[in-house]
Amino acid sequence: MQKLSIHGGVPLSGEVRVAGAKNAALPILTAALLSASPLRIANVPNLNDVRTMIQLLQRMGVKARRDQRGIDLDASSVTDPVAPYELVKTMRASVLALGPLTARFGEARVSLPGGCAIGERPVDLHIKGLEAMGAEVSIDAGYIHARAKRLKGARVFMDTVTVTGTENLMMAASLAEGETVLENAAREPEVVDLARCLIAMGARIRGHGTDEIVVEGVERLNGADYTVMADRIEAGTFLAAAAATGGSVTLTHAPVESLDAIIDKLREAGAEVKTSGDTVRLAMPRRARSVSVRTAPYPGFPTDMQAQFIALNCVAEGTAFVTETIFENRFMHVQELRRLGARIEIEGNTAFVHGVDRLAGARVMATDLRASASLVIAGLVAEGETVIDRIYHLDRGYERIEERLGRLGARIARVS
Ligand code: EPU
């Protein structure tokens, strides 16, 4: 199994291009199911999760072709509207096929995602929304089985803000008869990116980016040529790594408008951050000050950056309170960071991070995608060698991370 070996202590320095957003690309790939005409998608990151999604679509009968510019998907003949257990268990985002399949083919079977390393993660709101649109949904042998002749527009209230839930229902509503109103909808930039792609395909959507999305269903959607937004979590991870190492980096092709919460906290930590167009420059001339964060749905501080900010706080001056409000079990990185010498206590959903002067390299294990990103950051700071096991978690969300950090001066290598 592959591992990452990092010799820490080098301040990151240089320029890096931000890749396309994983969490925008995944729903946009499933949007191809909504149309019989080809969808061409550019700026799709080359990640394990993207490969899994393409495999899933291909199993259903979608033709997929990837070249240097992007991915062409042709869902003119879908033969099997099923997301099987083997694929859903490796990637929960497979549940995004549920809305499009039900809307276009009147039937879907999607393996019910189980709990995962970061929490229980039910999909009751996806199901409730489809039922409100007239689908008959049953759980049968571990599969969600949804059927509907044609979905009907409805008012759907979601009592928790859910990103993929909003995306699933927005896609389903695009082909429903009449108007659907999604209340308490997720405002995440990735939801907005999907809405823009659907609009390019002929969907009639307004209110995306607010908590009330209105979708006027149409009979059919066309193909389109769409470019995925840049990844705000990847951008944030590079910035946090630069800040923790006392470095200075420039991000190009960055989704600057969606980085406010992250940049605000980095400035509070003492970083100098300048933005211009789609470029972000960060320099950290001093030891970071600790910064407390509380995760919240967008535009609040993203849960997908919580682990990386714990890593930054591990070596900052002072004590930070990091409160996780989205997922109930997203502190798995804490015990691994302690192996590097971090001083962290957990009480309920808050981690108290007491900054230490130095971390020391050790062998650690990645437990999920963002946990592994926090271990990389800590490894870049720690004295001596840090070896991270199970880096397939990292490959789900970061493209050729060792190469790109290597170009910023990090001493990092993939080893078998
Ligand atoms: N929830 C419910 N019922 C539902 C759906 C969600 O109770 O039907 C709860 C969840 O248990 C959780 C909260 O609502 O407590 C929010 O979960 P959400 O549904 O928004 O999460 P998600 O859509 O499954 C996406 C991202 C995650 C990211 C979260 C939160 C994708 C493919 N995944 O997940 O990304 O953490 O939103 O922003 O977009 C990652 O990239 O590392 C990652 C985990």
Side-chain angles (χ1 to χ4, degrees), residues 44-60:
V44 180
N46 201 355
L47 301 170
N48 283 355
D49 274 10
V50 166
R51 284 185 281 276
T52 306
M53 187 60 92
I54 292 171
Q55 218 183 323
L56 176 70
L57 294 173
Q58 284 174 325
R59 275 187 70 139
M60 295 175 188

Side-chain angles (χ1 to χ4, degrees), residues 22-24 26-27 92-93 96 118 120-127 159-165 167 186 188 190 232-233 302-304 325-328 330 368-370:
K22 168 179 83 81
N23 289 347
L26 294 174
R92 299 177 53 87
L96 283 163
I118 62 177
E120 202 183 324
R121 302 183 77 182
V123 288
D124 55 311
L125 298 168
H126 303 230
I127 293 173
D159 64 4
T160 306
V161 176
T162 161
V163 176
T164 51
E167 292 165 344
E188 267 65 7
E190 294 78 11
R232 65 193 168 102
I233 305 302
T303 172
D304 290 344
T325 74
I326 309 289
F327 293 112
E328 65 276 14
R330 211 176 196 182
D368 69 76
L369 168 56
R370 308 305 170 187

